[in-house]
Amino acid sequence: MVKRLVVGAHYGLRDWLAQRITALIMALYSIVIGVVLITGVPVSYAVWKDFFAQGWVRIATLIFAASLAWHAWVGARDILMDYIKHDGLRLALEVVTVLLLATYLGWAIEILWR
Amino acid sequence: MKLSIYRYDPDKDARPYMQDYEVKLEPSDRMLLDALVKAKAQDDTLAFRRSCREGVCGSDAFNINGKNQLACITKLADLPEHVSVRPLPGLPVIRDLIVDMTQFFKQYHSIKPYVINNDPPPERERLQSPEEREELNGLYECILCACCSTACPSFWWNPDKFVGPAGLLQAYRFLADSRDQAASERLDNLEDPYRLFRCHTIMNCVDVCPKGLNPTKAINNIKEMLVKRAV
């Protein structure tokens, strides 16, 4: 069988843009949490628990976790596209990556609203 | 000076090897190409491409002490006593320092490297304002020597799918041309996870370009045009 090379999937811009935007969101969240941790010393279990009991902290952390998952998905898929030549293996690894990241995200939600 | 040169003749050699040459330099020898020509005078089985010997034709791009450069504009004074010369990485070797550039030029042709304009041609020429012409500076100077694309890991891994820095610089050269009318088709052609988005901005291309061009910037300009079109 002659293997024909096909390109022209017409996507990629959204992922590239999303990776940049999610990076900004994560940077912003990291700064806010960093400031809170520095100003809120000493950090005890009670302080930590009260802090994460607040609605805005939970929502912000959820957005952070979702950004991280999306960002990691684009990055991990880039690595797979770069190095894995076998199409079937690449698809399988991409599915594993999605499942893994979805699990982490679900786990994060479970922890936040425990 | 001592030259270690990559030798490989697929018809005779089981595998490539490095061969050393001791070259006696004259005061008139200024560039590495002069030393290579001297080495070839010692051993005429040594094969490499060269033509204009002044950095315009792009024939004598080699991997010189680990960095892709043009031998004809690489000053001997800037090189150490011992220099190793290898073919451009990532492309199939035809013989010694000569590589098969088919894949590189296929990618170049895929971006339609010519002005597309369907208006009837004017009597003399399609004019540009000085500002419009200015846009092409830093783009049109590319001599297609392939130093950049063969320094790019994304091009090493996917040379059949990723256009590569040289091709993308040229793609932007026509996107930036005020006389070209096919910007939308060009962007359609490039909006692809492999053709454009294999670039991860590591900037090896900028590091090696013997003409001092910036393919990474051109690639970012293409991405910016795609964003402007999409949002």
Side-chain angles (χ1 to χ4, degrees):
Chain A
M1 197 184 95
V2 181
K3 211 177 149 202
R4 270 179 63 79
L5 177 78
V6 278
V7 282
H10 292 303
Y11 76 91
L13 175 68
R14 188 188 296 186
D15 299 301
W16 177 80
L17 197 57
Q19 203 175 30
R20 265 123 202 98
I21 294 169
T22 50
L24 275 177
I25 293 170
M26 289 191 288
L28 206 65
Y29 177 87
S30 304
I31 292 167
V32 171
I33 291 296
V35 167
V36 170
L37 286 181
I38 289 165
T39 53
V41 278
V43 177
S44 63
Y45 175 73
V47 171
W48 191 254
K49 199 166 186 299
D50 284 348
F51 179 63
F52 276 95
Q54 299 171 76
W56 75 269
V57 179
R58 281 179 174 170
I59 299 290
T61 309
L62 178 62
I63 292 170
F64 169 79
S67 296
L68 181 61
W70 195 353
H71 192 90
W73 158 239
V74 178
R77 198 191 56 192
D78 267 344
I79 295 168
L80 296 175
M81 283 176 126
D82 280 348
Y83 297 108
I84 310 293
K85 296 288 158 191
H86 189 279
D87 301 330
L89 179 62
R90 191 167 61 247
L91 179 62
L93 288 171
E94 285 177 4
V95 170
V96 169
T97 308
V98 170
L99 287 176
L100 206 60
L101 290 171
T103 308
Y104 290 152
L105 188 56
W107 195 5
I109 294 168
E110 204 238 313
I111 292 168
L112 282 170
W113 272 275
R114 186 173 275 170
Chain B
M1 78 181 288
K2 193 176 156 195
L3 286 170
S4 296
I5 303 178
Y6 178 103
R7 302 297 311 268
Y8 182 52
D9 183 348
D11 291 337
K12 283 195 243 152
D13 305 325
R15 61 184 53 187
Y17 60 96
M18 298 299 284
Q19 187 175 338
D20 289 347
Y21 293 87
E22 201 61 53
V23 178
K24 204 171 173 312
L25 296 177
E26 311 285 331
S28 59
D29 294 333
R30 296 284 162 80
M31 302 295 176
L32 179 64
L33 183 63
D34 300 325
L36 284 172
V37 169
K38 285 234 156 80
K40 189 171 167 69
Q42 288 174 23
D43 173 5
D44 62 6
T45 65
L46 174 64
F48 57 86
R49 289 193 184 108
R50 38 95 85 191
S51 182
C52 76
R53 56 99 186 97
E54 57 183 10
V56 174
C57 72
S59 305
D60 64 348
F62 309 123
N63 187 277
I64 300 158
N65 277 350
K67 189 174 173 184
N68 294 350
Q69 285 166 288
L70 296 176
C72 57
I73 53 171
T74 299
K75 291 192 188 84
L76 286 166
D78 296 342
L79 289 170
E81 174 61 21
H82 183 190
V83 175
S84 56
V85 186
R86 292 180 170 82
L88 290 177
L91 293 176
V93 173
I94 296 174
R95 193 175 142 181
D96 299 342
L97 299 175
I98 299 176
V99 289
D100 180 355
M101 309 252 291
T102 308
Q103 197 71 69
F104 174 80
F105 281 110
K106 256 190 187 168
Q107 292 297 359
Y108 171 62
H109 292 139
S110 80
I111 58 100
K112 299 193 176 167
Y114 41 84
V115 170
I116 299 173
N117 188 321
N118 294 320
D119 290 344
E123 212 149 295
R124 288 191 62 191
E125 58 201 314
R126 298 187 200 279
L127 294 174
Q128 286 189 300
S129 69
E131 294 77 30
E132 286 167 343
R133 174 60 187 76
E134 177 74 27
E135 288 290 305
L136 305 181
N137 287 351
L139 302 170
Y140 81 94
E141 298 94 330
C142 172
I143 56 171
L144 296 169
C145 63
C147 277
C148 59
S149 287
T150 58
C152 173
S154 285
F155 191 76
W156 296 340
W157 313 148
N158 289 293
D160 49 348
K161 295 177 178 171
F162 176 48
V163 175
L168 290 170
L169 181 93
Q170 287 300 308
Y172 184 65
R173 181 247 170 276
F174 291 97
L175 281 165
D177 196 312
S178 61
R179 298 161 296 182
D180 189 272
Q181 296 176 333
S184 187
E185 291 89 322
R186 290 182 191 282
L187 291 177
D188 285 344
N189 175 272
L190 291 171
E191 189 173 4
D192 180 86
Y194 282 101
R195 284 179 63 72
L196 174 67
F197 289 100
R198 279 313 83 206
C199 171
H200 305 312
T201 332
I202 66 162
M203 298 176 85
N204 272 14
C205 51
V206 184
D207 183 41
V208 298
C209 180
K211 308 298 280 186
L213 307 180
N214 190 334
T216 305
K217 194 173 160 205
I219 294 169
N220 277 331
N221 288 341
I222 297 174
K223 286 173 177 168
E224 204 175 286
M225 282 179 97
L226 282 168
V227 171
K228 276 186 186 151
R229 188 172 78 149
V231 298

